[in-house]
Amino acid sequence: HESVREYGKYLPLRSTVVFGGVSINPQKIKLIKGVDILVATPGRLLDHVSQKTANLSKVDILVLDEADRMLDMGFIHDIRKIQTLLFSATFSAEIKRLADGLLHSPTLVEVGRRNTAAENVTQVIHPVDKNHKRELLSYLIGKNNWQQVLVFSRTKHGADKLVKRLLRDNIHASAIHGNKSQPQRTKALASFKQNKIQVLVATDIAARGLDIPALSHVFNFDVPTHAEDYIHRIGRTGRAGLKGHALTIAVPEEGKYLDAITRLIGKDIPKV
C-alpha cells in the first residue's frame, strides 16, 4: 500500500489497506467511502465481505502476490472462479500445473530467469558447528559494525533465543514472528527501517513481500528447509539495483538443504 500511494501520488485514485490483528472499525469507515485500489490479506478481506463492508461485485482485477505460497495455504476454493494475476519470485512446475487448472488461457510473463537469486546479491556460506552459530553471528555483525541486518530463523522460539543472545552481546535486536501481535510487528519493523534497531530477527513470515530500502545484509541463521524460501529471503537485499550481501551460517546437519538450494539456483555458493 505504501507503494500504491507513492506511485499513484498524482493519479485520481483512492486506496486503502486492510489486514488482521488490528481494529476493523477504522477500516470499515474507509471502505464504506469507497476505494479504487484495495490491498488486503485474505483473512481480513473475507471478514469485510462477510460483514458487507467490502463488495467485490465490481472488481475488475484481482492480483495475488506470493502466488505459490498463497495457493499452498488453501485459498484455492476462494479464487477458483476469479480471473487472476499471479505474482511470485519463485514459480515451481507444481504451482504452474495448479495455476493452469485455475486460469483460463493464461499468459506467462517472466522478467527474469525462473527460480534464480538476484544477480547483484553476493552469497557466501559460513560452515560452523552447532554450538558456535550464535557466537559467529554476533562476531560477524560486531566486527564489521553492520548497522542494518535482517536475520532469518527457522522457528519462533529460535528467533527469541537469538535476540536474547544478541542483546547480551550488546547488539540491539528485536524479533518479528507469528506469536507477535500485529502492532508489535509493525513497531519492530518501523524501528528497524529507522535504524533504531541494528538487527531484526524474523521467521519466514517476513521473507516474502518485506521491503526495506537499502538493506545491505541478510543472514540465514538457519538454512531454510524449502529451497524456494532461500530466494525469497535473500531477495530482501540487493533491491532496486543496489548491491546486497547474503550470508548463510550452516551446520553439517543442514547439508541436504544446501544441496537443494544449489540445485534450484543452478550454481555453487562459495564457502568462507
Side-chain angles (χ1 to χ4, degrees):
H1 185 238
E2 286 175 10
S3 296
V4 168
R5 284 195 304 202
E6 188 172 336
Y7 303 144
K9 192 183 297 181
Y10 302 110
L11 297 174
L13 298 173
R14 290 171 298 177
S15 67
T16 194
V17 60
V18 300
F19 48 81
V22 296
S23 173
I24 199 170
N25 292 323
Q27 297 175 358
K28 287 181 177 179
I29 292 167
K30 289 181 179 176
L31 285 173
I32 288 167
K33 289 179 180 176
V35 295
D36 299 294
I37 300 173
L38 175 61
V39 184
T41 53
R44 180 51 63 94
L45 178 60
L46 292 173
D47 288 343
H48 282 290
V49 170
S50 67
Q51 295 183 36
K52 295 188 167 41
T53 47
N55 179 357
L56 305 184
S57 64
K58 297 292 196 316
V59 171
D60 290 321
I61 298 171
L62 172 71
V63 178
L64 291 188
D65 196 13
E66 313 302 353
D68 57 340
R69 179 55 55 88
M70 200 170 278
L71 293 179
D72 235 6
M73 289 167 65
F75 294 111
I76 298 167
H77 301 299
D78 296 324
I79 63 170
R80 195 175 288 279
K81 297 175 185 174
I82 304 171
Q83 187 66 38
T84 310
L85 300 175
L86 303 158
F87 286 76
S88 184
T90 53
F91 219 65
S92 66
E94 181 186 15
I95 294 298
K96 186 177 185 313
R97 282 196 299 273
L98 187 58
D100 286 344
L102 293 171
L103 306 180
H104 303 289
S105 304
T107 300
L108 178 65
V109 179
E110 292 184 294
V111 294
R113 287 182 298 124
R114 192 175 303 177
N115 295 336
T116 55
E119 300 291 338
N120 49 344
V121 177
T122 60
Q123 304 171 60
V124 297
I125 295 169
H126 291 292
V128 69
D129 67 86
K130 201 168 187 176
N131 295 329
H132 292 98
K133 284 183 81 172
R134 286 196 290 272
E135 288 177 29
L136 179 60
L137 180 67
S138 291
Y139 171 76
L140 288 169
I141 293 171
K143 172 180 175 257
N144 295 290
N145 196 29
W146 289 326
Q147 289 305 305
Q148 206 177 36
V149 181
L150 179 61
V151 178
F152 283 104
S153 167
R154 188 174 296 128
T155 66
K156 294 174 275 194
H157 177 65
D160 288 334
K161 276 180 68 174
L162 186 52
V163 166
K164 286 177 184 173
R165 174 62 196 242
L166 290 166
L167 291 172
R168 279 205 307 272
D169 293 336
N170 295 314
I171 295 170
H172 195 191
S174 187
I176 58 171
H177 52 63
N179 283 357
K180 300 281 186 181
S181 69
Q182 187 62 49
Q184 285 175 321
R185 289 189 225 170
T186 303
K187 183 181 177 184
L189 186 55
S191 296
F192 185 60
K193 286 183 175 182
Q194 295 160 13
N195 286 309
K196 294 177 183 174
I197 294 173
Q198 190 175 354
V199 178
L200 186 67
V201 183
T203 52
D204 281 310
I205 193 169
R208 293 161 179 261
L210 193 63
D211 186 23
I212 301 160
L215 178 69
S216 59
H217 289 81
V218 168
F219 267 94
N220 292 297
F221 183 74
D222 297 309
V223 181
T225 53
H226 295 100
E228 288 85 358
D229 287 336
Y230 177 83
I231 293 175
H232 286 277
R233 286 182 180 189
I234 73 169
R236 299 312 99 202
T237 185
R239 294 165 80 82
L242 298 174
K243 296 287 185 188
H245 303 278
L247 304 95
T248 299
I249 297 176
V251 299
E253 298 91 323
E254 294 173 312
K256 61 182 178 183
Y257 303 137
L258 287 176
D259 291 342
I261 289 166
T262 55
R263 282 197 303 272
L264 181 70
I265 65 175
K267 65 178 183 182
D268 288 328
I269 305 168
K271 291 184 170 64
V272 176

